[in-house]
Amino acid sequence: MYHGTAHTVGAHIDTDAIIPARFLVTTDPAELGANCMEGLEAGWIKKVKQGDIMVAGENFGCGSSREHAPIALLGAGIPVVIAHSFARIFYRNGFNMGLVLLEIGDDVSKIHDGDELKVDADTGVISNVTTGQTIQCKPVPPFMKGILDKGGLIPYVQDRLAERV
Amino acid sequence: MPATLAEKILQQHCDEQITGPGQIVRCRLSLVLANDITAPLAIKSFKKMGAAGVFDKDKVTIVADHFTPNKDIESAEQVKVCREFAKEMGITHYFEGGNVGVEHALLPELGLVGPGDVVIGADSHTCTYGGLGAFATGMGSTDVAAGMALGETWFKVPPTIQVILTGTLRQWVGAKDLMLALIGTIGVSGALYKALEFVGPLASALSVEGRMTMSNMAIEAGGKVGLFAADDKTLAYAAAHGRKGDKAIAADAGAAYERVVTIDATGMEPQIACPHLPDNVKPVSAVAGLKVDQAVIGSCTNGRIEDLREAAAILKGRKVSKDVRTIILPATPNIWRQALAEGLIETFMDAGCIVGPATCGPCLGGHMGILAGGERAIATTNRNFKGRMGSLESEVYLSGPAAAAAAAVAGEIIDPAKV
């Protein structure tokens, strides 16, 4: 269960907004996290506290394949992103990095900046404490759920490699 | 059941029967690639996975093309990680110094990708190889690490949007303009989670290089792949670049498409994508007169020889405006040599351009062409996100090579036909 304050951003937030290329000279989560969303607004990270939740419009994470984007969000202390929809590469990367991604379509309009949210990642139920509304997310495909249940892509690959020996 | 091109290629690399969109399948990989930004993370993940070696030393490639020649100590350290890993794993195709090129121009040119291949790369523009009839798509570093270790990955079979290209291109209008027109039509999420398949008389008429330019920007519409059938032209291109045994491949007649979109080139002006999204597309006449401070011709979208020829045709015998830094980066060493042999480099230098090494640098605001606050660039690159090429207060306008060269001469955005 996650519990935090919503930070809303618009549609088509690209990976350059999440972490601009000039910061890609490191793979360190803390360094990337310190510059999270620097391409959207200088100093954006100052608004965020540990456990806060990103809420976005359509096509969140479009653009680059840079895995530094989900790592930057995690490094910034943001464990969950709720969006209308996600860009394809970002969606896979998020899962692989252990960032919780919840796709909710038009229901995203029911969440406002500053709302207090409770998120159950297992059931996909979001409770908006501020408004009293609950939102049910689209379920994760069973194959991807299987990877999550193994603990992510790295343990999944370890198992696949072991099967081959 | 008749298959789309995406389904057909995936089926050739997959043991399960593909039944249609939405199915998740495991496919064998023809090639896996990463670059100097994404490989260090992939290597980290690869080591955590505990893999003893890469699945095939000839089918994993690392191209240090983004921050190279190294712009600072940190980027040098990242390239060092790549170099040492390549040595440790015995990777055949590692590129860094005088052999490096912009990856998506380099790998097709060296015959490392071709028709019917399934390719994943830790770079979103891996979709470029769809121009050769390859199912090629970008993924993150950890997915690519898994591909390096296993030689396979999972895909969700995408629904396909068929894009019919018709009409005739007028002078100074090319593949880039067709793609910008499509992105302007369907939007930056128009092909989200989907494949694009380009067909029609104009698709056949395009050069293989032009097809790669279009496939390159499939991701800018949210697409997973942008595919052209591999026809006689593709096979001739592949053979000319040292490949053997490639076969033609096209969708089956009667395949099911989610949607059909037609792009008619008749009367089409050069297209310009205005800030700050690639779907903010306008005909050049609608933005003519905007002053520019920088023009960039290069990148995996438009850094190939035919792009340089088009730019040179505008710049020949002319000077670029003294107010416009004009940066030309041939995308690979072979393109550089060819441009030199054809006198294009001389044309560029006589016109007052900066001719640089093969690098992705300015496209992603990496180096060699960063914009200050308030500056405006026109570029043949693929993204115009806010701050993409430097300051958050700068602007990038995307165009084909002719429009970029024309703007460099005029000092403002202009129809190349009017220069």
Side-chain angles (χ1 to χ4, degrees):
Chain A
M1 182 72 87
Y2 298 91
H3 188 176
T5 304
H7 292 278
T8 58
V9 291
H12 311 298
I13 297 295
D14 60 73
T15 46
D16 284 75
I18 301 168
I19 186 79
R22 65 183 182 278
F23 300 118
L24 302 182
V25 289
T26 177
T27 58
D28 180 56
E31 273 184 61
L32 293 168
N35 296 299
C36 186
M37 305 306 288
E38 197 62 21
L40 183 74
E41 184 187 321
W44 185 89
I45 192 68
K46 288 178 197 146
K47 298 194 270 196
V48 174
K49 58 185 189 304
Q50 194 74 24
D52 280 357
I53 293 167
M54 172 77 85
V55 180
E58 195 186 330
N59 198 22
F60 183 79
C62 59
S64 163
S65 70
R66 59 185 74 158
E67 211 163 80
H68 310 67
I71 295 173
L73 288 158
L74 287 166
I78 299 168
V80 181
V81 183
I82 299 165
H84 178 284
S85 57
F86 292 95
R88 190 187 56 77
I89 304 176
F90 182 89
Y91 190 68
R92 256 181 108 127
N93 284 347
F95 268 86
N96 293 341
M97 293 297 97
L99 179 67
V100 176
L101 304 180
L102 301 172
E103 203 171 23
I104 60 170
D106 292 339
D107 279 350
V108 78
S109 63
K110 294 177 181 166
I111 305 175
H112 306 98
D113 196 54
D115 281 358
E116 183 189 344
L117 304 178
K118 283 186 179 171
V119 174
D120 186 332
D122 293 327
T123 60
V125 173
I126 302 166
S127 309
N128 190 332
V129 179
T130 307
T131 65
Q133 287 176 312
T134 58
I135 301 165
Q136 176 66 55
C137 302
K138 290 184 188 166
V140 174
F143 181 90
M144 293 180 76
K145 183 78 171 41
I147 294 177
L148 279 180
D149 290 346
K150 275 195 193 286
L153 189 66
I154 290 173
Y156 170 83
V157 175
Q158 285 167 343
D159 285 2
R160 290 280 297 154
L161 287 169
E163 281 169 27
R164 291 181 174 189
V165 177
Chain B
M1 211 178 70
T4 63
L5 188 47
E7 289 164 349
K8 214 160 160 179
I9 300 170
L10 289 177
Q11 186 65 79
Q12 291 181 353
H13 295 258
C14 168
D15 295 329
E16 304 152 69
Q17 183 61 43
I18 292 180
T19 53
Q23 187 185 358
I24 290 181
V25 292
R26 274 208 307 245
C27 293
R28 292 175 292 277
L29 298 170
S30 316
L31 193 80
V32 179
L33 71 128
N35 59 49
D36 51 320
I37 291 179
T38 58
L41 270 175
I43 293 164
K44 231 187 200 181
S45 293
F46 183 89
K47 301 232 154 127
K48 278 191 207 157
M49 286 164 184
V54 295
F55 81 105
D56 187 328
K57 295 174 172 59
D58 296 327
K59 293 182 179 175
V60 171
T61 173
I62 299 178
V63 188
D65 56 357
H66 275 61
F67 288 148
T68 56
N70 300 326
K71 67 162 180 152
D72 54 17
I73 296 166
E74 288 82 0
S75 61
E77 295 290 346
Q78 297 209 133
V79 172
K80 191 173 155 194
V81 169
C82 298
R83 186 189 311 128
E84 287 174 354
F85 179 76
K87 273 200 183 135
E88 186 189 340
M89 293 292 143
I91 288 172
T92 321
H93 305 295
Y94 172 69
F95 304 95
E96 181 192 331
N99 66 358
V100 86
V102 172
E103 55 199 301
H104 309 309
L106 184 70
L107 303 187
E109 182 187 278
L110 297 178
L112 292 174
V113 290
D117 282 356
V118 172
V119 181
I120 63 167
D123 187 281
S124 58
H125 292 106
T126 303
C127 49
T128 307
Y129 318 133
L132 293 163
F135 187 102
T137 193
M139 287 187 184
S141 295
T142 299
D143 267 316
V144 156
M148 286 176 175
L150 299 172
E152 62 167 45
T153 195
W154 64 273
F155 292 104
K156 194 166 170 182
V157 177
T160 297
I161 299 176
Q162 187 185 51
V163 181
I164 303 172
L165 304 176
T166 63
T168 316
L169 295 164
R170 64 165 241 211
Q171 199 188 13
W172 311 125
V173 180
K176 176 69 160 286
D177 303 291
L178 288 174
M179 195 57 191
L180 291 178
L182 173 67
I183 298 166
T185 302
I186 68 172
V188 287
S189 53
L192 201 56
Y193 311 129
K194 296 174 187 136
L196 293 168
E197 189 180 308
F198 300 99
V199 298
L202 189 49
S204 307
L206 284 177
S207 67
V208 172
E209 287 85 351
R211 295 174 190 178
M212 286 196 273
T213 294
M214 291 195 72
S215 295
N216 174 269
M217 291 188 75
I219 180 71
E220 265 58 70
K224 185 177 216 158
V225 288
L227 293 167
F228 284 83
D231 58 10
D232 289 346
K233 255 186 207 175
T234 324
L235 297 181
Y237 178 96
H241 292 84
R243 290 177 64 91
K244 291 190 180 78
D246 285 318
K247 291 188 182 68
I249 187 165
D252 293 329
Y257 293 98
E258 191 190 79
R259 188 182 163 194
V260 178
V261 179
T262 301
I263 299 294
D264 184 357
T266 309
M268 184 183 282
E269 285 183 44
Q271 304 286 299
I272 310 282
C274 303
H276 290 291
L277 279 176
D279 64 3
N280 190 12
V281 175
K282 294 177 183 156
V284 69
S285 56
V287 278
L290 273 179
K291 301 269 178 226
V292 297
D293 304 288
Q294 179 166 298
V296 177
I297 297 168
S299 87
C300 57
T301 318
N302 282 123
R304 283 175 280 267
I305 193 69
E306 67 175 32
D307 302 315
L308 300 186
R309 285 178 189 142
E310 190 170 297
I314 299 270
L315 294 169
K316 181 90 182 163
R318 295 192 172 96
K319 295 275 182 202
V320 300
S321 160
K322 61 178 172 32
D323 296 327
V324 184
R325 295 183 301 279
T326 305
I327 302 166
I328 300 191
L329 305 175
T332 70
N334 280 337
I335 295 167
W336 230 104
R337 278 191 203 98
Q338 181 73 25
L340 191 64
E342 292 182 18
L344 309 182
I345 302 289
E346 196 179 4
T347 297
F348 297 143
M349 298 196 74
D350 287 349
C353 305
I354 304 157
V355 187
T359 179
C360 304
C363 172
L364 74 160
H367 66 156
M368 296 197 182
I370 308 294
L371 299 175
E375 285 191 327
R376 183 181 294 135
I378 186 165
T380 69
T381 57
N382 39 48
R383 290 195 173 130
N384 58 354
F385 299 151
K386 193 179 171 199
R388 172 76 176 176
M389 205 173 265
S391 166
L392 283 179
E393 276 74 49
S394 63
E395 290 183 341
V396 179
Y397 287 71
L398 304 176
S399 77
V409 170
E412 59 185 42
I413 295 178
I414 187 170
D415 189 330
K418 293 185 178 157
V419 173

